[in-house]
Amino acid sequence: MDFTLMDLPFPKNALEPSISEKTVSYHYGKHHKGYVDKLNKELKKPENERFQSCSLKQLVLDAHGKIYNLAAQVWNHDFYWQSLQPSHDLEPSQVVQDALVAEFGSVDGFKQSFKEAASNQFGSGWAWLVRDAEGVLTVTGTTDAVNPLSEGKTPIVTLDVWEHAYYLDYQNDRGSYIDAFLEKLINWRFLEKNLQK
Ligand code: MN3
């Protein structure tokens, strides 16, 4: 069965002015859709038959090379859109605040760590809040398509730092895109849901 492109959880213009409708249209409609289409095409090849009944998560955990990269990029983008919200809900709940204070000293401490990881990720990749194998919350960056599940970590929230995610709106100023995410767009409810899993 083919994988399908998820529905965006908000209208394409809902993140303006932080992320433009044009960026969301290309990012979702071309890049994200492209990964879904290429993954489906790759899985139809006879040599990949053993992967045809796998879930997306199983592909991320078990596949290598091209299928891994495509499956991880679909998974990562599904998670990215859910990590965003249209600036309606700017404060983390007490539960989230307590978890972040315990690990990072304060909510601002979390934001600072996340900004460092997202800024320092060289080239294309992702910044993540994850829970590691010991249950500790940490911030980390991954390169290209790499998903933290491959490293035994559980994703809690993510930011896409590939240039296609911000270049139309911010050009080379990745820092302002990261700030917009941390101050206006981060979906605290999604983060909380993943914390409580
Ligand atoms: Mn992307």
Side-chain angles (χ1 to χ4, degrees), residues 94-154:
Q94 196 62 49
V95 172
V96 171
Q97 288 186 40
D98 290 349
L100 296 178
V101 168
E103 222 63 70
F104 301 97
S106 63
V107 174
D108 281 345
F110 156 71
K111 288 179 178 176
Q112 201 180 329
S113 297
F114 195 95
K115 183 165 184 183
E116 279 169 25
S119 305
N120 294 338
Q121 177 55 45
F122 186 78
S124 297
W126 299 81
W128 305 84
L129 174 66
V130 298
R131 184 184 282 121
D132 71 15
E134 284 77 44
V136 178
L137 289 182
T138 58
V139 160
T140 186
T142 63
T143 298
D144 295 337
V146 174
N147 182 297
L149 290 167
S150 312
E151 302 167 344
K153 298 167 186 163
T154 306

Side-chain angles (χ1 to χ4, degrees), residues 12 16 25 78 87 98-99 102 105 115 127 139 152 154 165 191 197:
K12 287 183 179 134
E16 292 195 340
S25 296
D78 287 357
S87 295
D98 290 349
K115 183 165 184 183
V139 160
T154 306
L191 188 155
K197 268 182 194 163

Side-chain angles (χ1 to χ4, degrees), residues 27 31 35 73 77 80 126 160 162 164-165:
H27 196 178
H31 292 274
Y35 294 124
Q73 281 296 77
H77 282 91
Y80 170 65
W126 299 81
D160 188 339
W162 286 56
H164 66 229

Side-chain angles (χ1 to χ4, degrees), residues 4-10 28 32 77-78 81-82:
T4 53
L5 180 64
M6 70 176 274
D7 291 330
L8 265 188
F10 39 72
Y28 171 74
H32 189 176
H77 282 91
D78 287 357
W81 298 120
Q82 296 176 83

